[in-house]
């Protein structure tokens, strides 16, 4: 296997109620809100809903019974042959409503921020080891200059910030995605974390790709479930990609005033993975302001977030940040900002030889036969008009244009000097005076 397969150390399942490191009132309230909202009755079903071991869930149920918030139904719960059922008492329902008025959150028990910190260390992006083979495998579909991997490899292996710059259309986004694919291992994302009694949801199906879960074979002596804390979801290392839409507010905690819970900002969701800021320089805020926001996280591996109350607190910052821009770095950053970005890698357009390789590869993929006269026309008549500046996006653009023309004209896929001219006309807009 070329991909990394060594699993990171899983978060251990909690053994006792005390080891949860959450307030007993918070745990009790989340459980009774879950009972109220889901109508689940058995300890086993409730344990699955709150993502805790059955023995700890039973202790929470017993504590709620002692406080007369829930009671045994006296019957075995529906769908379970030998388990006692439980239901909320009138007092329990009232407490659930009061608790829901304070926070709508129910379901998976949150992981205390301090406990989550330990897991971040176990699965740090800075612990990964990426080999040349892994990067080659992940980027095999791209035709890249050999020296590029010489620069990318150490940058990715260091888990530090990378600035990729160069003219548009040369695969900076594809290279960023290739870096993500090279990582290859799995980490554990908390469904929610807790700080100062507040719940912050982290797991997001849009950002996080859950891995296939091991299912127990009832005939096997070796049990695989219960090996780790199910308040976490085992996922691919996450990748968050933002572009011109990125604002500084998107890097703050998002408070939902209706549910009275918080949602983690993008960089916290990308912990253990990659945060790609594409098209730097196209955002509403100047690039300098965006980089300034990352200075403390990039240098100190910690980020500072604020609750509604204004209280500030630290969270781990464990993310490989990739900035990608079409501008020259000296145009958009001062020297101090550039010094803080660890690796700067220029992504240039291909030379003529690599351009032809890309053209041939794309033509083969699109089932477009190559034509020598058309290629000579392209290289000798068309490219000199733009100073022979080649870009990675151009072959696929030109081939797709010719395919569209062939389909419109009802002729088999083909290329010719005439079709090259028609495709080229759509790739560039002539500079001409507009008469108002």
């Amino acid at each position: 296997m070329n991909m990394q397969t060594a699993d990171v150390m899983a978060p251990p399942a909690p053994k006792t109620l005390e080891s949860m490191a959450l307030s007993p009132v918070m745990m009790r309230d989340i459980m009774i809100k879950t009972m109220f909202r889901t109508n689940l009755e058995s300890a086993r079903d409730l344990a699955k809903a709150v993502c805790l071991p059955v023995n700890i869930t039973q202790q929470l149920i017993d504590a709620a019974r002692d406080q007369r918030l829930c009671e045994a139904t006296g019957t075995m719960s529906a769908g379970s042959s030998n388990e006692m059922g439980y239901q909320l008492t009138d007092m329990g329902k009232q407490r659930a409503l009061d608790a829901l008025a304070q926070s709508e959150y129910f379901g998976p028990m949150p992981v205390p921020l301090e406990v989550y910190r330990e897991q971040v260390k176990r699965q740090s992006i800075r612990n990964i080891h990426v080999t040349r083979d892994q990067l080659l495998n992940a980027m095999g579909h791209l035709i890249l200059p050999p020296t590029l991997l010489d620069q990318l490899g150490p940058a990715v292996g260091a888990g530090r910030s990378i600035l990729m710059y160069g003219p548009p259309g040369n695969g900076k986004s594809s290279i960023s995605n290739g870096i993500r694919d090279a990582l290859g291992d799995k980490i554990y994302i908390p469904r929610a974390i807790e700080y100062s009694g507040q719940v912050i949801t982290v797991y997001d199906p849009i950002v996080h790709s859950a891995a296939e879960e091991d299912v127990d074979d009832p005939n096997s002596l070796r049990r695989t479930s219960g090996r780790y804390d199910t308040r976490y979801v085992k996922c691919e290392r996450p990748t968050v990609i933002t572009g011109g839409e990125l604002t500084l507010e998107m890097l703050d905690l998002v408070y939902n005033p209706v549910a009275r819970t918080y949602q983690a900002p993008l960089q916290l969701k990308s912990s253990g993975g990659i945060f790609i800021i594409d098209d730097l320089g196209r955002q509403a805020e100047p690039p300098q302001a965006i980089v300034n926001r990352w200075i403390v996280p990039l240098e100190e591996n910690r980020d500072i977030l604020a609750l509604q109350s204004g209280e500030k607190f630290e969270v781990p910052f464990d993310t490989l940040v990739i900035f990608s821009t079409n501008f020259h770095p000296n145009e958009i950053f001062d020297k101090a900002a550039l010094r803080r970005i660890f690796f700067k890698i220029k992504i240039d357009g291909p030379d003529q030889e690599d351009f032809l390789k890309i053209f041939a590869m794309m033509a083969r993929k699109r089932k477009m036969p190559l034509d020598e006269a058309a290629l000579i026309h392209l290289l000798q008549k068309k490219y000199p008009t733009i100073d022979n500046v080649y870009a990675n996006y151009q072959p696929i653009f030109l081939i797709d244009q010719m395919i569209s023309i062939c389909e419109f004209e009802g002729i088999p896929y083909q290329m010719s000097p005439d079709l090259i001219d028609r495709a080229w006309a759509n790739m560039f807009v002539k500079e001409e005076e507009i008469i108002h």
Side-chain angles (χ1 to χ4, degrees), residues 117-396:
R117 275 185 212 284
E118 296 307 308
Q119 186 55 30
V120 170
K121 286 180 195 160
R122 291 185 198 110
Q123 61 194 28
S124 174
I125 189 83
R126 292 174 185 87
N127 296 342
I128 65 165
H129 174 64
V130 176
T131 64
R132 182 179 289 273
D133 280 352
Q134 279 166 245
L135 270 182
L136 273 171
N137 273 359
M139 300 192 192
H141 61 298
L142 303 174
I143 290 169
L144 303 171
T147 53
L148 184 59
L149 285 187
D150 297 345
Q151 295 175 285
L152 274 179
V156 176
R160 304 288 291 269
S161 51
I162 300 172
L163 171 66
M164 291 196 285
Y165 67 98
N170 284 313
K172 290 186 290 293
S173 303
S174 304
I175 291 166
S176 302
N177 293 331
I179 290 171
R180 172 198 63 195
D181 296 342
L183 300 182
D185 59 345
K186 312 280 190 292
I187 62 168
Y188 297 84
I189 306 291
R191 297 170 197 272
I193 56 179
E194 174 272 342
Y195 171 76
S196 194
Q198 302 297 318
V199 176
I200 302 163
T201 59
V202 180
Y203 174 70
D204 178 349
I206 295 168
V207 170
H208 300 113
S209 172
E212 295 273 321
E213 282 299 332
D214 296 326
V215 178
D216 275 343
D217 174 357
N219 302 318
S220 169
L221 292 172
R222 194 163 159 268
R223 307 285 286 178
T224 54
S225 62
R227 288 184 307 182
Y228 71 87
D229 188 340
T230 55
R231 292 178 295 168
Y232 293 81
V233 183
K234 191 176 185 183
C235 295
E236 310 286 340
R237 286 191 181 268
T239 304
V240 171
I241 303 176
T242 64
E245 78 285 358
L246 178 68
T247 62
L248 291 177
E249 288 79 51
M250 288 162 77
L251 306 177
D252 294 333
L253 276 177
V254 181
Y255 182 66
N256 180 332
V258 178
R260 294 182 179 81
T261 56
Y262 291 87
Q263 190 181 88
L266 293 171
Q267 72 276 21
L268 188 51
K269 288 180 181 178
S270 70
S271 272
I274 301 178
F275 192 112
I276 298 169
I277 300 171
D278 217 350
D279 273 340
L280 188 64
R282 305 268 180 234
Q283 291 77 11
E285 276 102 351
Q288 186 74 43
I290 288 174
V291 171
N292 286 350
R293 169 63 181 82
W294 297 93
I295 285 174
V296 169
L298 290 175
E299 291 199 337
E300 300 181 21
N301 302 339
R302 63 189 180 91
D303 197 9
I304 295 162
L305 300 176
L307 298 172
Q308 280 287 101
S309 62
E311 182 186 350
K312 294 190 171 168
F313 64 104
E314 279 182 19
V315 292
F317 184 84
D318 186 70
T319 304
L320 169 61
V321 182
I322 300 176
F323 300 98
S324 170
T325 183
N326 299 333
F327 295 97
H328 192 281
N330 294 340
E331 288 176 37
I332 54 175
F333 297 128
D334 63 21
K335 285 190 171 59
L338 267 180
R339 198 172 61 242
R340 290 182 164 103
I341 299 174
F342 215 67
F343 294 90
K344 295 106 179 153
I345 300 174
K346 186 161 194 269
I347 310 289
D348 264 325
D351 59 16
Q352 190 183 86
E353 186 186 345
D354 279 347
F355 171 83
L356 286 170
K357 278 185 198 166
I358 297 167
F359 199 96
M361 185 171 80
M362 290 305 171
R364 194 166 58 247
K365 270 191 182 167
R366 292 287 201 264
K367 299 186 169 46
M368 166 68 84
L370 290 171
D371 176 80
E372 192 178 347
L375 285 172
I376 289 170
H377 178 71
L378 179 65
L379 298 180
Q380 293 186 354
K381 293 283 189 284
K382 290 299 173 190
Y383 271 98
T385 66
I386 57 164
D387 300 324
N388 293 313
V389 175
Y390 301 96
N392 282 0
Y393 80 92
Q394 292 164 351
I396 195 71

Side-chain angles (χ1 to χ4, degrees), residues 14-75:
K15 296 277 190 287
T16 63
L17 210 47
E18 294 69 42
S19 70
M20 296 281 297
L22 291 167
S23 92
V25 171
M26 182 183 214
M27 289 190 285
R28 179 204 69 193
D29 282 355
I30 288 175
M31 191 196 68
I32 63 173
K33 284 189 284 185
T34 305
M35 290 176 79
F36 185 82
R37 284 281 189 239
T38 62
N39 293 320
L40 294 173
E41 294 182 349
S42 76
R44 191 174 298 277
D45 289 342
L46 275 167
K48 204 173 279 187
V50 296
C51 300
L52 291 180
V54 177
N55 65 318
I56 292 182
T57 308
Q58 187 66 56
Q59 288 176 54
L60 286 172
I61 292 170
D62 292 344
R65 284 179 77 185
D66 291 345
Q67 294 169 10
R68 301 200 178 117
L69 298 174
C70 78
E71 61 192 2
T73 57
T75 57

